[in-house]
Amino acid sequence: MTNTSAREIQSDTERMNRISNKYGYFDRQAREFVITRPDTPLPWVNYITNGKYSGLVSHTGGGYSFFISPRDCRISRWRYNSLPQDRPGRYLYLRDRQTGAFWSPTWQPTPSVPLTSFQCRHGMNYTAITTLAYGIEARITYFVTRENMEVWMVRIRETEGRSRSLDVYSFVELALGHALVDLINQPNDKHFNDVRYLGDSQILMATKRYWVTFNSATVKQANQSWRHWAFMASTLPVAGFDGSRDRFIGPWRSEENPIAVEQGVSFNTEITAGDAIASLRSSLELPAHGEKEFCIFMGVVPREGEGKASDEKAGTAAAEIVERFRIPGRIGEEFRKLVSMRDDYLSSFQIEAPDPEMNLFINFWNQYQTKTTYQFSRDASYHHGGLLFGRGYRDSCQDALGPLFAKPGWVKERIGEMAGKQFQDGSVYHCYYPLTGGGERTGHSDTPLWLPMIVIAYLKETGDFSILEEIIPFVDGGEASLLEHIERAAGFIKSKTNEQNLVYIGPGDWNDTLDYCGREGKGISSLNSFIYAFVLREMAGLHRILESDRAVEYQNLYDAVKASCNQHLWDGKWYIRAINDLGEKIGSLSSEEGKIFINAQSWAVISGVAEGERAARCMDSALEMCSTPKGLKILHPPYTRVDPHIGLATRCVPGKKENGAVFNHAFSWAILALLILKRAEKAHTLYHQALPIHPSVDIDRYEVEPYVYSEYVTSPDHPSFGQASHSWLTGSSVWMLRNTTDYLLGIRPEYNGLLMDPCIPSDWKEFSVTRRYRGDLYNITFRNPGGGNGRVISVILDGDALEGNLIPPCGDGKPHEVIVILGN
Ligand code: GLC
């Protein structure tokens, strides 16, 4: 890294502070976002996870937990559409035994209790909320251990100089199984709940004697119990417990005033039917200015079979885990491991650029968000309920580009999983269900193409060509090497092209809402055609490396598709977006609405279909017509009339979602196209515009978390202009990251090494990057004395000048020093 002076760091920090908003700020040192008041426009959330046991945590203690699948294996409840919003959660109640006053140290669910202070720190897979009320400061840190157990690590401090006697209650509402069934069939589903208290080990255990796992609403369900027991335990001696929500809360009450807490009792309820909760009560004596620490644990253990022996086995398994963590100091150790895992993850790519916002996002938040999209796809957020379609194939493939430099092993695993969801003909499940298996085949003709794309990206990153020989089964029988799987993906799309080599749109392409353009099998998608071209070009490149004859075949096909796209899809000033079954052009000069779509322009460039004048022209058209103060709209002008031959996009209100919002995923591809065209200043400006901390963001309008990208920002075409939605789980995260690392900073993995090819603003005089590549760490300093946009003059590796701008993999496991001199 460059030696940044104390002054620079100071001004960097000042700039960070300036971009903080009235609800919080970034603590760069701690790698946390700090929320300083609880009344944010919406809940601002975070993820806790060990990769299997996961939960969402809002800054006021809301959220839910699940094991692998948020739909099929939901542990705790969260009420969609709830008023007050964001209920329930992982709540702790503190009750002063002398006065009877009680409150929740996370603000919710007791918002009428005035807090003297509030702070929430969201970090990578942990959240710490600290509040002061009635002279008691309480800090709860939520995180998950490797044992499939979440921890609420609590520290309580007396601040007024008088001794206090407190009751401490934990509380969660349990779903125990299928979350959608819990919502739509709760009056029946609750008859299978079973909550027991194990007095010897002081653990509350809960399960369900029925588990719906078939995907459709059918009476033909498996004859099975939920395959887990949830447990809750405390490191404090347990004085009472409750498993019945009705008893604990009491009639006509809510989480705000549970009767048990109000009365300072527990009813010691175990249930065999009814709405289940887990609540433990303990007593705590706090001397004046005294401090106490304790933990609440909640987790899952497997349920194997039925009957007493099986129940006892689960109880023993839970007790065994809990005992290990009841040892003082153990949990602190576990938390420190989590922090060092974070640092290890991030160490693969760190930058120091004269751009503090980019430093902040690339060094931490953007990497964290892509790790999260890798882990959760679009399956579990406050916007994706985790109840419907499971995971999207195309999303899961793209998300895999995120952890590629930090965790190539994860990507290898994902590739195996995705190849295993392919059918013999090369088609794939469009969406699939983790844990319970299966999926849905829809006929989208972009979906299969994302597999070759990640396989090739993996090869360029790792050089691990042995993966191509791995034998992976097809969904419908038989098996083949991974190489064959990706050939079949490309082959399947070939079978979905018309006589002009253009790809049919079928029930939709990347844009899910162009869903009625091509159901009769005649409509074509230019985006699919460009993505297909891109994959053909990449396949040709791969076969050249493999020295196989197929390279020529792919190259010829690429050339034919490219020529045809340019012949049939060019519309004078830009590329059209699609042709529907009626033969009508969509996204054309001649269209009344939806005249231009940015994806068609971006992908024409990304795929190499558009070159020279045409490439410049189509991107200029996109910039001219789709620019807003928040970035580029997905299309312009938005549809105001429903068109049944286009579909859902035209049913959505103008300015939102795929009907003309700044849809960040599409926006990120436009930035990529500009970077490919070496339009550095524009790309950099748009990169900043996309950041949720751009100075133009009015956070009260924006509403969602400022530390992660959201799916879309409402365009000026709607009165709620500037409002964002679907934060966290969006494909834009991975592309914003890789655009910046690979094309803007310009450190791009190729088959034979790491290419240095930046595209930077001319006022960047120097920047540096630390990047892990094939096991080695490269400390790369870029010098730009002449103020150009990144043209490489020379590359010096460990003191020796290289020919060209490709650093061959050193492969000795040592750190390497690279200096790249840039010119005009
Ligand atoms: C959502 C979907 C993604 C789709 C996009 C555009 O982000 O998860 O699969 O490509 O919307 O419709």
Side-chain angles (χ1 to χ4, degrees):
M1 307 296 280
T2 45
N3 285 330
T4 317
S5 70
R7 177 98 114 350
E8 274 166 328
I9 292 176
Q10 180 69 25
S11 69
D12 222 30
T13 310
E14 278 165 15
R15 191 157 156 192
M16 276 300 93
N17 287 343
R18 274 207 306 281
I19 57 97
S20 67
N21 59 51
K22 72 189 208 209
Y23 300 105
Y25 64 94
F26 292 91
D27 183 336
R28 235 172 28 136
Q29 235 64 49
R31 292 176 156 156
E32 292 169 342
F33 187 81
V34 187
I35 302 168
T36 48
R37 50 189 273 190
D39 56 340
T40 52
L42 282 176
W44 286 359
V45 308
N46 193 16
Y47 287 82
I48 53 174
T49 185
N50 66 5
K52 286 183 174 169
Y53 186 108
S54 306
L56 281 123
V57 185
S58 76
H59 71 292
T60 63
Y64 55 90
S65 300
F66 57 94
F67 186 66
I68 300 177
S69 165
R71 187 189 67 173
D72 300 313
C73 207
R74 187 72 70 99
I75 299 160
S76 58
R77 269 186 179 156
W78 191 72
R79 264 182 285 287
Y80 301 82
N81 309 328
S82 161
L83 278 180
Q85 66 179 346
D86 193 18
R87 295 280 177 92
R90 300 172 187 80
Y91 296 139
L92 199 72
Y93 297 94
L94 301 178
R95 180 176 178 277
D96 185 321
R97 272 210 297 278
Q98 276 118 29
T99 63
F102 65 89
W103 74 102
S104 212
T106 50
W107 189 49
Q108 294 294 336
T110 54
S112 46
V113 174
L115 296 178
T116 317
S117 71
F118 172 92
Q119 188 186 72
C120 167
R121 288 179 168 264
H122 284 318
M124 189 191 267
N125 298 135
Y126 66 86
T127 287
I129 303 170
T130 310
T131 55
L132 179 62
Y134 296 114
I136 300 284
E137 186 193 79
R139 185 185 67 200
I140 310 184
T141 308
Y142 299 102
F143 65 99
V144 174
T145 72
R146 279 166 297 177
E147 289 73 15
N148 298 326
M149 178 176 89
E150 66 181 69
V151 179
W152 316 356
M153 191 166 74
V154 188
R155 193 202 60 190
I156 298 199
R157 201 162 61 84
E158 204 287 322
T159 67
E160 286 179 353
R162 54 198 174 97
S163 61
R164 311 284 278 270
S165 296
L166 299 176
D167 290 319
V168 178
Y169 292 82
S170 60
F171 171 83
V172 283
E173 227 179 295
L174 296 169
L176 307 173
H178 199 293
L180 184 56
V181 172
D182 183 48
L183 274 182
I184 60 180
N185 197 22
Q186 173 265 356
N188 293 313
D189 204 47
K190 70 178 181 182
H191 286 89
F192 309 100
N193 286 341
D194 190 336
V195 187
R196 306 170 190 181
Y197 182 67
L198 308 182
D200 289 347
S201 50
Q202 304 201 326
I203 298 179
L204 199 77
M205 303 284 293
T207 191
K208 190 176 252 125
R209 298 180 303 273
Y210 183 46
W211 189 27
V212 170
T213 47
F214 289 169
N215 289 326
S216 49
T218 167
V219 286
K220 227 175 50 191
Q221 283 295 339
N223 188 11
Q224 61 185 359
S225 296
W226 188 41
R227 245 179 272 143
H228 301 273
W229 282 87
F231 65 84
M232 180 179 271
S234 171
T235 55
L236 293 173
V238 174
F241 63 88
D242 272 297
S244 161
R245 185 182 75 165
D246 292 351
R247 288 302 305 284
F248 182 82
I249 299 282
W252 303 104
R253 287 167 175 260
S254 75
E255 302 96 334
E256 185 158 9
N257 57 352
I259 190 139
V261 181
E262 196 175 285
Q263 294 181 354
V265 298
S266 294
F267 300 109
N268 295 342
T269 49
E270 299 183 302
I271 61 167
T272 50
D275 285 303
I277 60 162
S279 172
L280 299 175
R281 178 174 56 90
S282 299
S283 306
L284 201 69
E285 298 301 323
L286 263 188
H289 298 299
E291 191 174 303
K292 287 255 159 87
E293 292 191 355
F294 65 91
C295 290
I296 304 293
F297 302 129
M298 183 165 92
V300 287
V301 286
R303 171 182 183 136
E304 291 157 16
E306 307 285 340
K308 200 160 175 268
S310 142
D311 298 352
E312 279 172 7
K313 194 169 170 199
T316 309
E320 194 267 323
I321 296 171
V322 167
E323 279 322 308
R324 259 192 286 150
F325 289 100
R326 275 184 175 143
I327 298 168
R330 248 329 282 282
I331 276 300
E333 219 176 275
E334 213 56 26
F335 184 70
R336 283 189 293 279
K337 271 188 216 152
L338 186 78
V339 172
S340 73
M341 265 153 53
R342 172 198 70 186
D343 293 343
D344 175 59
Y345 186 92
L346 298 169
S347 67
S348 296
F349 206 105
Q350 288 292 296
I351 69 167
E352 189 67 54
D355 185 333
E357 292 86 355
M358 186 184 285
N359 292 341
L360 177 74
F361 267 71
I362 297 299
N363 288 342
F364 181 46
W365 283 101
N366 200 179
Q367 287 202 60
Y368 176 26
Q369 187 178 4
T370 55
K371 172 178 170 289
T372 306
T373 57
Y374 171 88
Q375 288 174 314
F376 299 105
S377 193
R378 311 293 167 268
D379 209 4
S381 75
Y382 268 31
H383 309 271
H384 296 91
L387 299 174
L388 277 179
F389 311 121
R391 296 185 175 199
Y393 191 94
R394 75 158 82 91
D395 297 331
S396 292
C397 286
Q398 290 171 74
D399 294 339
L401 298 171
L404 198 47
F405 31 71
K407 295 281 173 194
W410 292 8
V411 182
K412 186 173 186 182
E413 215 174 282
R414 171 66 51 85
I415 288 172
E417 197 191 346
M418 293 296 107
K421 301 197 184 307
Q422 191 185 48
F423 292 79
Q424 291 187 36
D425 64 1
S427 67
V428 297
Y429 277 136
H430 184 67
C431 43
Y432 63 95
Y433 302 92
L435 189 73
T436 49
E440 212 181 312
R441 219 169 160 189
T442 56
H444 285 73
S445 43
D446 68 306
T447 315
L449 290 173
W450 300 101
L451 178 67
M453 207 177 281
I454 48 163
V455 171
I456 288 167
Y458 173 82
L459 292 174
K460 289 180 178 174
E461 180 68 37
T462 62
D464 168 20
F465 282 85
S466 69
I467 195 177
L468 293 175
E469 272 123 58
E470 284 194 14
I471 303 298
I472 300 162
F474 294 103
V475 178
D476 52 348
E479 57 182 26
S481 68
L482 181 64
L483 180 61
E484 177 65 23
H485 276 271
I486 61 174
E487 309 264 15
R488 289 202 195 184
F492 177 76
I493 301 306
K494 185 162 192 267
S495 77
K496 296 285 171 197
T497 52
N498 66 9
E499 61 287 352
Q500 295 158 336
N501 288 315
L502 301 175
V503 182
Y504 292 118
I505 187 163
D509 57 20
W510 170 88
N511 190 329
D512 289 328
T513 65
L514 299 180
D515 51 346
Y516 278 88
C517 298
R519 299 229 171 197
E520 285 167 28
K522 288 181 266 179
I524 62 107
S525 156
S526 62
L527 179 59
N528 277 356
S529 306
F530 298 144
I531 296 176
Y532 178 48
F534 176 90
V535 168
L536 292 173
R537 193 181 56 175
E538 290 294 315
M539 290 296 281
L542 173 63
H543 280 286
R544 271 195 289 276
I545 289 287
L546 297 176
E547 296 177 353
S548 124
D549 298 342
R550 298 214 64 193
V552 179
E553 217 177 285
Y554 278 112
Q555 186 62 45
N556 290 342
L557 197 49
Y558 172 74
D559 292 340
V561 174
K562 176 175 171 175
S564 181
C565 288
N566 276 312
Q567 189 185 341
H568 301 287
L569 304 177
W570 181 249
D571 205 29
K573 291 185 174 169
W574 59 82
Y575 290 90
I576 60 165
R577 180 62 178 80
I579 298 174
N580 69 8
D581 285 329
L582 304 178
E584 296 166 342
K585 287 184 189 171
I586 291 156
S588 153
L589 271 170
S590 59
S591 310
E592 274 181 42
E593 303 190 315
K595 280 175 166 305
I596 181 168
F597 285 66
I598 56 172
N599 278 341
Q601 322 320 319
S602 314
W603 271 92
V605 173
I606 296 167
S607 63
V609 163
E611 286 177 307
E613 275 286 288
R614 227 174 232 202
R617 185 76 204 102
C618 72
M619 288 311 295
D620 280 341
S621 299
L623 292 169
E624 274 158 29
M625 295 176 71
C626 298
S627 287
T628 80
K630 306 287 170 201
L632 297 183
K633 300 197 280 187
I634 190 171
L635 61 85
H636 179 80
Y639 294 98
T640 58
R641 292 184 294 275
V642 172
D643 185 336
H645 302 290
I646 295 178
L648 197 58
T650 68
R651 294 180 183 278
C652 185
V653 67
K656 287 198 174 281
K657 289 250 183 208
E658 285 96 332
N659 190 15
V662 175
F663 202 91
N664 278 323
H665 196 157
F667 184 21
S668 68
W669 285 331
I671 296 174
L672 175 57
L674 292 168
L675 288 166
I676 290 172
L677 297 178
K678 296 290 183 196
R679 293 169 75 168
E681 309 293 343
K682 189 73 200 171
H684 185 247
T685 304
L686 294 184
Y687 170 81
H688 272 267
Q689 230 171 20
L691 284 174
I693 51 171
H694 190 262
S696 76
V697 170
D698 168 353
I699 195 67
D700 284 312
R701 282 185 88 76
Y702 189 81
E703 294 183 352
V704 298
E705 298 88 338
Y707 39 88
V708 287
Y709 291 100
S710 56
E711 182 193 84
Y712 77 88
V713 183
T714 310
S715 78
D717 300 289
H718 190 271
S720 64
F721 169 49
Q723 183 188 46
S725 192
H726 292 60
S727 52
W728 274 106
L729 302 185
T730 153
S732 53
S733 177
V734 75
W735 288 98
M736 293 293 188
L737 177 73
R738 296 308 302 247
N739 290 347
T740 312
T741 57
D742 292 23
Y743 288 87
L744 197 150
L745 301 164
I747 297 157
R748 201 155 63 242
E750 295 289 351
Y751 290 115
N752 297 323
L754 211 45
L755 193 72
M756 304 290 107
D757 184 22
C759 179
I760 51 164
S762 57
D763 61 357
W764 283 23
K765 295 287 175 266
E766 182 167 317
F767 68 101
S768 63
V769 176
T770 302
R771 194 209 199 272
R772 194 174 302 284
Y773 181 61
R774 302 197 188 172
D776 297 344
L777 208 59
Y778 294 85
N779 298 312
I780 313 168
T781 304
F782 291 84
R783 297 199 180 126
N784 186 28
N789 287 124
R791 196 173 61 81
V792 175
I793 305 280
S794 66
V795 178
I796 301 150
L797 169 66
D798 295 325
D800 295 327
L802 297 179
E803 259 177 46
N805 57 346
L806 187 79
I807 303 175
C810 298
D812 54 11
K814 292 191 187 138
H816 296 278
E817 300 302 318
V818 181
I819 295 173
V820 183
I821 308 294
L822 306 174
N824 292 319

